[in-house]
Amino acid sequence: MRESYDPGLCARCENMRRITSDRGSVFLFCNLSKTDPRFPKYPRLPVLQCDGFRPLQPQESDAKPD
Ligand code: SF4
């Protein structure tokens, strides 16, 4: 399944895990849901505001050498 929409904050959040079903559908799973009931496993998208949002950190491979 193509993502033809903007999922909002989840797309840029450290707590998001992308899950692909056997049929190829893509779901965004919120890892915070495992420990905090305020967060649904599969948030209704797009998420525009979220107390658990943690911006993705740049990958080491993205870092520029000194
Ligand atoms: S913490 Fe919020 S923004 Fe991050 S994945 Fe969960 S619902 Fe999305």
Side-chain angles (χ1 to χ4, degrees):
M1 181 174 125
R2 272 182 48 225
E3 286 182 58
S4 57
Y5 60 92
D6 178 6
L9 291 176
C10 295
R12 310 186 295 278
C13 180
E14 290 270 357
N15 295 313
M16 184 274 286
R17 189 155 52 97
R18 187 178 301 266
I19 294 178
T20 304
S21 74
D22 294 342
R23 295 182 177 186
S25 298
V26 176
F27 301 92
L28 301 186
F29 177 85
C30 178
N31 276 329
L32 281 187
S33 66
K34 295 186 213 170
T35 56
D36 191 328
R38 292 178 301 158
F39 299 94
K41 288 182 181 176
Y42 301 101
R44 186 170 180 170
L45 304 176
V47 172
L48 303 177
Q49 184 175 3
C50 180
D51 289 343
F53 175 69
R54 283 181 52 205
L56 280 171
Q57 299 301 309
Q59 301 286 315
E60 261 183 48
S61 58
D62 294 341
K64 293 183 179 163
D66 292 334

